[in-house]
Amino acid sequence: MAILKILQYPDERLHKVAVKVNAVTDSTRKLVKDMAETMYAAPGVGLAATQVDVHQRIIVVDTSETNNNLLVFINPEIISMSGESDCEEGCLSVPGIYDKVRRAERITVKAQNAKGEAFTLEAAGLLAVCIQHEMDHLLGKVFVEYLSQLKQTRIRAKLKKRLRETM
Ligand code: NI
């Protein structure tokens, strides 16, 4: 296993749109393992392949407090959603920035697991928010893009400054 490098906003590669995984293979499973290890090491509750510069429709999520409930979604699709929730979000690609985003409160998602088997999951609360956040990454969307232009400009300036300071 390996810890992968997480792209940092405003890296343009975070805006690439991921493609469907046609076949779940050993290399898919290796990527999933590396993504999980990277997420747990960060630590974070979710990671999309886009964030490690692999533009395939794969996300991993673990919102358990004990870090032992890894969920793998390959080719995830939201088939129903309801309600609204405003939850404070953060992102491993946008360190130190947290803000509220409005999303569906409950979703039903259809995907394949690491064995390539199809499954359907109903999620609510933090898990539902996290899945929606990670699925946005697959479309090239970062959560800060839901915020006002003014906030986005400030965030970009702050992160660029921080990047310069650490170089
Ligand atoms: Ni994120």
Side-chain angles (χ1 to χ4, degrees):
M1 292 205 284
I3 294 190
L4 307 170
K5 189 173 178 291
I6 299 175
L7 298 177
Q8 300 295 300
Y9 183 83
D11 193 308
E12 280 303 313
R13 291 170 289 180
L14 286 169
H15 302 304
K16 284 194 191 176
V17 177
V19 299
K20 187 172 180 247
V21 176
N22 287 318
V24 178
T25 62
D26 285 344
S27 71
T28 316
R29 281 182 278 276
K30 183 183 184 302
L31 172 65
V32 164
K33 278 186 183 158
D34 290 345
M35 284 173 61
E37 195 184 7
T38 304
M39 172 184 77
Y40 287 127
V45 294
L47 190 71
T50 307
Q51 291 176 276
V52 293
D53 203 21
V54 177
H55 302 279
Q56 297 180 19
R57 293 189 57 81
I58 303 172
I59 65 173
V60 294
V61 172
D62 188 345
T63 53
S64 71
E65 281 182 16
T66 42
N67 280 359
N68 61 357
N69 189 25
L70 179 68
L71 298 173
V72 176
F73 300 85
I74 298 170
N75 299 323
E77 263 179 81
I78 292 178
I79 52 175
S80 74
M81 51 169 73
S82 64
E84 276 181 355
S85 97
D86 290 292
C87 193
E88 191 165 80
E89 298 185 16
C91 179
L92 295 176
S93 293
V94 198
I97 306 291
Y98 301 89
D99 214 322
K100 280 191 175 172
V101 176
R102 175 156 298 176
R103 299 197 188 266
E105 191 186 8
R106 294 176 168 275
I107 59 168
T108 305
V109 57
K110 194 177 92 175
Q112 285 161 272
N113 64 20
K115 291 178 187 160
E117 301 161 340
F119 69 96
T120 302
L121 179 89
E122 283 179 39
L126 176 62
L127 178 59
V129 166
C130 190
I131 293 169
Q132 291 173 83
H133 173 119
E134 300 311 331
M135 284 182 67
D136 271 355
H137 278 300
L138 302 179
L139 297 173
K141 186 159 184 174
V142 179
F143 86 101
V144 294
E145 290 165 55
Y146 288 101
L147 309 177
S148 69
Q149 285 300 330
L150 178 65
K151 277 189 180 174
Q152 289 186 49
T153 304
R154 283 182 183 160
I155 291 166
R156 273 196 297 271
K158 191 171 170 182
L159 294 181
K160 280 181 182 163
K161 181 167 179 273
R162 196 183 297 160
L163 202 63
R164 279 197 303 274
E165 284 167 1
T166 56
M167 265 157 60

